[in-house]
Amino acid sequence: MNGLSALFWLTVVVLCEPFLTQARRLHFGRCSLTANIAEIQQAFSDIRRPIQMEDTADDVRLLTKSALQGIQAEESCCFLRHMLQFYVETVFKHHTPSSSLIERRTNTLANSFLSIKRDLRQCHAEMKCHCGEESRAKMKTIQNTFENLTLRAAAVKAIGEIDILIEWVEQDHQN
């Protein structure tokens, strides 16, 4: 390795180190995974204000703290897997960013969600991810609310409420 490539990799490690050390072990029922919540929080924090200013459906909520806190531990893995699938395949797919910053940060969020979803899919394959009626009903309610809005308004609403999902993950599922 020449001096220039060593310097490059050292720079990458120094710049990425805060995010690498912020990865946390999370537990969803019998499923354990590692996720970089700090990276997700930072990406959302960077776009929170402009996204929430775009949200014109003030009288509608997709996610509520009380609804998420009511999810039983044994169904939390399944619920999160479906929630992340919903964000990746529906919300981010149909969102039209209003700026390059929002586009970059929503891409970061989508990639982070895909990474977590991959681990949750593995738990599901190992039969550690129980899907019951409660998680299905909550997802159905969220999807119905989403579908009752225009596609653009619904995508903006869902992205603007990611903080509620982050808080649920942090509060209820850490070591």
Side-chain angles (χ1 to χ4, degrees), residues 8 22 48 50 52 54 67 81 83 126 159-160 162 169 172:
F8 168 77
Q22 302 263 340
R48 178 184 191 148
Q52 290 178 347
E54 288 181 41
R81 187 168 64 90
M83 180 62 71
E126 295 171 2
I159 293 170
I162 286 176
V169 166
D172 295 342

Side-chain angles (χ1 to χ4, degrees), residues 46-60:
D46 290 347
I47 62 171
R48 178 184 191 148
R49 187 175 181 92
I51 283 288
Q52 290 178 347
M53 288 177 64
E54 288 181 41
D55 184 359
T56 57
D58 295 333
D59 57 336
V60 177

